[in-house]
């Protein structure tokens, strides 16, 4: 199994070290459907528990001192799923936004949606934008990638630059027009569910991200495992192409 090892059993995590080294963690929240199937439940039940687990994971990451979290909630490819499943995910998202607005003063988390919102109806867009506006001043960030695809994001970035009249572009130009321009590149990308792929997530930003793959299905990812993943990340030697 690739990913985090058993090197770290009972991690002692220093918040200072996390603040320095792990400024941004990203999760590919995969495995909701299989989690439900194992229990004889419909796939949408898996998404419901998955949404609940997002709260647990976000809280733990915040407690550990991580300033920015990005989660992959719905890809540009996920629209091809059965309508019933897509509808149930969108309903869960609406409830998630309502609760996030209600609990904003308790949670103190800034929400940002990554992806093109133009596909949503005006009621849904208003909901997403209202949550972003109402939480805009909080320091801890939770980016939710929704109708997100990394290739779509790159095309969007380049088209913005063309519209501004640029004839040639720098890496900095491209980065600054991505949906993630308000956060540093992810230091660590974690995929739950046991598959070893990126599925069109943060392709540009992942250039030097550390990767972690765990078999755990997303609704089961708990505080203990997050601590082990973070502790393992802190032992990694990031060379960025250089030598010691
Ligand atoms: C991830 O879980 C959630 C979304 C992609 C919306 P899945 O629904 O992909 O669950 P599995 O991979 O089928 O188990
Ligand atoms: C990736 O999961 C997308 C999200 C977690 C939102 P998928 O289940 O859609 O990915 P594939 O199809 O296994 O690559
Ligand atoms: Mg999946």
């Amino acid at each position: 199994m690739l990913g985090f090892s058993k090197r770290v059993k009972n991690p002692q995590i220093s918040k200072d070290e996390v603040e320095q080294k792990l400024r941004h963690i990203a999760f590919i929240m995969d495995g909701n459907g299989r989690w439900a199937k194992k229990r004889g439940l419909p796939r949408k039940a898996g998404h419901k528990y998955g949404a609940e687990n997002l709260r647990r994971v976000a809280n733990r990451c915040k407690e550990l001192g991580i300033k920015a979290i990005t989660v992959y909630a719905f890809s540009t490819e996920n629209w091809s799923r059965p309508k019933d499943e897509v509808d149930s995910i969108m309903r869960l998202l609406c409830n998630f936004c309502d609760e996030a607005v209600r609990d904003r003063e308790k949670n103190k988390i800034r929400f940002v949606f990554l992806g093109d919102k133009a596909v949503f109806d005006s009621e849904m867009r208003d909901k997403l934008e209202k949550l972003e506006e109402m939480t805009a001043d909080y320091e801890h960030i939770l980016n939710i990638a929704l109708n997100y695809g990394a290739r779509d994001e790159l095309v969007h970035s380049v088209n913005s630059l063309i519209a501004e009249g640029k004839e040639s572009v720098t890496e900095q130009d491209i980065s600054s027009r991505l949906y993630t321009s308000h956060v540093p590149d992810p230091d660590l990308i974690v995929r739950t569910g046991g598959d070893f792929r990126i599925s069109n997530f943060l392709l540009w930003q992942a250039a030097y991200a550390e990767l972690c793959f765990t078999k755990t299905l997303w609704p089961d990812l708990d505080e203990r495992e997050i601590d082990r993943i973070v502790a393992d990340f802190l032992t990694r030697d990031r060379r960025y192409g250089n030598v010691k």
Side-chain angles (χ1 to χ4, degrees), residues 29-34 43 78 81 191 195 197:
M29 307 189 287
D30 198 25
N32 292 347
R34 279 162 285 164
R43 291 180 59 85
N78 288 146
R81 294 188 178 201
R191 181 174 186 137
D195 285 311
R197 57 176 172 262

Side-chain angles (χ1 to χ4, degrees), residues 103-134:
D103 297 341
R104 63 190 184 281
E105 284 170 18
K106 184 177 85 187
N107 293 335
K108 300 195 186 334
I109 290 178
R110 174 182 170 197
F111 289 84
V112 180
F113 291 94
L114 315 181
D116 187 1
K117 295 190 191 81
V119 293
F120 298 110
D121 62 27
S122 61
E123 196 187 332
M124 180 76 160
R125 264 202 320 271
D126 285 351
K127 222 181 238 307
L128 303 177
E129 282 163 7
K130 187 173 137 207
L131 177 57
E132 289 181 327
E133 281 159 25
M134 292 180 99

Side-chain angles (χ1 to χ4, degrees), residues 28-37 43 46-47 72-75 78 81 85 89 191-193 195 197 217-219:
I28 301 175
M29 307 189 287
D30 198 25
N32 292 347
R34 279 162 285 164
W35 184 92
K37 193 171 172 211
R43 291 180 59 85
H47 296 308
Y72 202 5
F74 194 86
S75 73
N78 288 146
R81 294 188 178 201
E85 179 170 348
I89 293 172
R191 181 174 186 137
T192 58
D195 285 311
R197 57 176 172 262
L217 303 173
W218 172 258

Side-chain angles (χ1 to χ4, degrees), residues 4 16 63 65-66 68 75 81 97 102 104 116 122-123 127 138 143-144 153 176 180 183 190 197 206 213 215 230 241:
F4 71 100
D16 285 347
E63 279 167 11
I66 304 169
S75 73
R81 294 188 178 201
C97 288
R102 197 191 59 208
R104 63 190 184 281
D116 187 1
S122 61
E123 196 187 332
K127 222 181 238 307
Y138 294 119
N143 294 314
I144 301 182
E153 179 185 39
S176 68
T180 51
V183 283
V190 180
R197 57 176 172 262
F213 298 93
K215 269 194 213 159
V230 168

